[in-house]
Amino acid sequence: MAGCYVIVTTRNILWMVLSVVATLAVITGIMTPKWLYGRPRIFDDVALESNSSEYVPPEAMYRPSIGIYNRCKKIHKMVGGDPVLNCYMYVTDFMDIPSHAWKACMVFLCFGTFLLAAVVIMSLIGFCVQSIGKKSIFSLGGVIQAIAALFLVIGLVLYPAGWSNEIVDKLCTRPSVQKPGAFVINDCSLGWAFYAVLGGTLSSFLCSLLSAQAEKSTSSDEVQDEISDGKTVICLI
C-alpha cells in the first residue's frame, strides 16, 4: 500500500489489547513476591503444623511467600493498629539471587518481557504503519511474540529448578521429614504470580497466532475498497 493510512479493525484492536494484557501480566508476576506460598504461620513466625489440634483464628495467621528477588516473611504488629505483612527485596544486586537457576530464570523472563513490550509498541504503530520495509508489522510482531513466549517458558521451567536453594528450604521444608531439591515443592504451593506469568506466556502464544488475523484484516478487500475511495482513516469494526 502506498501512502500512510490509519486502519482500525476488530482483529488488530484485539491483537493490540491482548498484547498489552500479556505484557502487563508477565511484568506484574515478575515484580510480585507471590511465586511460592509457605505453610501458614502465626504472628510470632512459628509454623503451624498440619496435624496440630490447637485452634488458631484465621486473622492470627498468614502465609509467608517468596518471589525471585523479594519476599513476604512475617507480620509486624503495629501499635494500636492492624498487623502488617512485611514484603521486601532480600537481594541487593543480581548476584545475591540465591540460585544459579533463578538468575537464569530472571534473565530469560526479563528478555522475554522486553520483546513483548517491543511488540506492544509495534501494535500501536500498526494502526498507522502496516509494514516495515517489505515485512508486515503484524507478522513480524507475531514472530517476536512467539520467540518471547519461548523465553518465558524457559524462565518458568528454571524457577522450580532452583527450589533447592536455602531460602526455599527454610520456607518449604520440614528438616526431620523432607529434603529440599529441584522441582520438589514440599509444604509450599505455587502462588498467583507464577500463574500470572504462565497466563501471560500462553497469551503471548495466542497473540502470535492472532497477529496473522490482524494482518489479513488490514489488507482485506473492504480495506482496499476504502482506500480506492480516497479515505486515509479506515475503521471496520
Side-chain angles (χ1 to χ4, degrees):
M1 274 183 245
C4 180
Y5 302 95
V6 177
I7 303 175
V8 180
T9 69
T10 301
R11 282 176 281 183
N12 71 351
I13 288 179
L14 184 59
W15 179 57
M16 182 271 292
V17 171
L18 190 57
S19 297
V20 172
V21 170
T23 305
L24 291 178
V26 173
I27 292 173
T28 301
I30 292 173
M31 296 179 63
T32 304
K34 302 291 183 180
W35 284 64
L36 274 181
Y37 284 108
R39 285 179 293 158
R41 294 176 178 267
I42 55 179
F43 287 158
D44 58 3
D45 212 32
V46 175
L48 190 66
E49 299 295 336
S50 59
N51 60 354
S52 175
S53 59
E54 179 184 358
Y55 173 74
V56 180
E59 62 271 14
M61 296 187 298
Y62 79 103
R63 295 191 70 183
S65 62
I66 190 171
I68 302 174
Y69 60 90
N70 48 10
R71 67 188 304 175
C72 297
K73 186 177 182 182
K74 64 175 63 176
I75 288 178
H76 295 289
K77 289 187 176 180
M78 306 296 292
V79 177
D82 295 328
V84 176
L85 188 62
N86 183 27
C87 298
Y88 59 95
M89 289 180 58
Y90 66 87
V91 300
T92 56
D93 57 50
F94 180 78
M95 298 308 298
D96 287 339
I97 295 176
S99 164
H100 292 302
W102 280 14
K103 291 174 184 175
C105 167
M106 193 67 175
V107 171
F108 278 97
L109 291 180
C110 288
F111 187 70
T113 304
F114 171 78
L115 293 179
L116 291 181
V119 177
V120 168
I121 296 174
M122 292 172 65
S123 70
L124 295 173
I125 295 173
F127 290 112
C128 301
V129 179
Q130 288 74 47
S131 62
I132 300 176
K134 294 184 179 181
K135 298 291 185 180
S136 166
I137 196 169
F138 303 103
S139 58
L140 183 59
V143 170
I144 294 174
Q145 284 175 321
I147 294 172
L150 290 175
F151 274 94
L152 296 177
V153 167
I154 295 172
L156 287 171
V157 172
L158 285 170
Y159 185 73
W163 284 350
S164 58
N165 69 70
E166 182 180 355
I167 300 293
V168 175
D169 182 17
K170 291 180 179 179
L171 182 70
C172 305
T173 306
R174 283 180 284 180
S176 60
V177 181
Q178 301 164 325
K179 293 183 179 180
F183 302 98
V184 179
I185 199 169
N186 288 326
D187 284 346
C188 284
S189 60
L190 289 172
W192 67 262
F194 180 90
Y195 292 111
V197 177
L198 178 60
T201 302
L202 296 177
S203 297
S204 299
F205 279 119
L206 179 59
C207 285
S208 69
L209 298 176
L210 188 59
S211 65
Q213 296 301 316
E215 179 183 4
K216 289 181 180 178
S217 70
T218 57
S219 58
S220 64
D221 291 339
E222 292 87 348
V223 171
Q224 295 298 329
D225 291 340
E226 296 286 330
I227 293 174
S228 298
D229 292 339
K231 295 181 179 179
T232 57
V233 178
I234 301 164
C235 183
L236 298 176
I237 297 178

